[in-house]
Amino acid sequence: MATVHFIQQGKGGVGKSMIASMLYQVFRLLEKEVVAFDTDPVNATLAGFKEFEVTRLDILKNGDIDPRQFDALIDAIMEQGAETHIIVDNGASSFLALNSYIKENNIIGILEESGHAVFFHSVITGGQAIGDTVLGLRSLALGFPATPIVVWLNPYFGEIVMDGKSFEEFKVYQEFSEQFHAIIAIPQGNKATIGKDLETLFAKRQSFETAINSGQSIVVRSRLQRYRNELVAGIEQAGIVG
């Protein structure tokens, strides 16, 4: 049985591709078979990681998103072998289009009938985008009430708090908590040290492994290794590795 991970959030620039890259690396580190697809029609960030094997799907036709182009994605997913983790990094601009396609074509049912497990992954970020990301998560939960969602908390842009309440106190959590398979808090640290290390890592589209084995400062490499270990522990605890 393969496991399909759809990375979905209607707000752009909140860390979807970062999450996709983290999943890819952790699954590989845990010696799992991984296949990745980038369907973002505007910013194909995941496909920019040259160390990763990522298939980019062009879903634009004459400047508009063509939902029929998703047929190729589902065909490719169906071809994957058992025990494979399939990551689909989707862009904010195609959030509604992909969700509509999945719903109208009973894609979840087709995948599950073929023995695949399906997870949606969505991100909640702090700062100005917190409200928009909550709305995106709520839309996903409402649209697919039978599909488990992994919620990623990304406090990089600010603390994930609204009206003095933490995420577990948000209305969206109270309403859909039974559908949330797991909550993964993206590890944080000093923005002047590990924060800068990660900015450089992702700006270069570089893997943790390459950076850790590079010739840069041993302190930087040590920080990145500790960060990666925290990430592995969080993903393993979420119960999605299999």
Side-chain angles (χ1 to χ4, degrees):
M1 180 178 70
T3 304
V4 186
H5 305 269
F6 289 103
I7 317 298
Q8 283 283 76
Q9 173 54 258
K11 178 66 176 175
V14 295
K16 291 187 299 298
S17 295
M18 177 183 70
I19 288 168
S21 73
M22 289 175 170
L23 282 173
Y24 186 100
Q25 293 178 79
V26 170
F27 290 147
R28 289 289 296 268
L29 187 66
L30 296 173
E31 299 183 339
K32 302 295 182 180
E33 290 292 328
V34 186
V35 173
F37 298 91
D38 193 331
T39 64
D40 191 328
V42 179
N43 299 304
T45 305
L46 185 62
F49 284 81
K50 301 306 181 186
E51 298 177 58
F52 304 166
E53 294 182 9
V54 180
T55 299
R56 184 178 183 185
L57 296 180
D58 186 3
I59 61 172
L60 284 180
K61 186 176 183 180
N62 299 323
D64 294 321
I65 293 172
D66 181 3
R68 289 185 61 86
Q69 298 302 311
F70 289 124
D71 291 350
L73 169 64
I74 304 307
D75 287 344
I77 289 174
M78 296 294 285
E79 292 174 358
Q80 304 308 316
E83 308 304 324
T84 302
H85 284 273
I86 302 158
I87 299 168
V88 180
D89 185 24
N90 188 51
S93 60
S94 51
F95 173 75
L96 294 177
L98 180 56
N99 285 348
S100 295
Y101 172 86
I102 291 174
K103 190 178 299 183
E104 292 170 5
N105 294 280
N106 187 33
I107 297 302
I108 302 298
I110 291 173
L111 293 173
E112 290 180 341
E113 287 170 10
S114 299
H116 298 321
V118 180
F119 291 100
F120 284 115
H121 294 252
S122 194
V123 58
I124 297 292
T125 188
Q128 294 181 347
I130 189 168
D132 289 336
T133 56
V134 167
L135 289 176
L137 174 60
R138 189 173 191 277
S139 172
L140 198 61
L142 282 172
F144 303 95
T147 306
I149 299 174
V150 178
V151 180
W152 292 71
L153 302 182
N154 181 12
Y156 179 80
F157 300 102
E159 191 176 4
I160 300 176
V161 173
M162 288 199 302
D163 300 324
K165 298 178 179 179
S166 63
F167 177 71
E168 287 78 3
E169 299 172 296
F170 287 7
K171 184 177 179 180
V172 70
Y173 181 85
Q174 301 296 326
E175 191 173 357
F176 301 105
S177 60
E178 291 186 1
Q179 190 177 346
F180 297 157
H181 177 81
I183 298 174
I184 300 176
I186 296 178
Q188 294 299 299
N190 190 323
K191 285 194 174 183
T193 53
I194 187 62
K196 289 295 183 182
D197 299 337
L198 292 171
E199 283 182 14
T200 300
L201 186 80
F202 290 112
K204 291 182 176 180
R205 304 287 192 268
Q206 193 175 56
S207 70
F208 284 106
E209 182 179 6
T210 295
I212 290 168
N213 293 317
S214 69
Q216 63 183 322
S217 166
I218 189 172
V219 180
V220 173
R221 288 185 279 138
S222 177
R223 282 197 298 260
L224 288 172
Q225 188 163 23
R226 290 197 305 272
Y227 184 93
R228 185 182 67 177
N229 291 344
E230 286 185 56
L231 194 59
V232 171
I235 291 175
E236 284 188 309
Q237 188 175 1
I240 58 174
V241 177

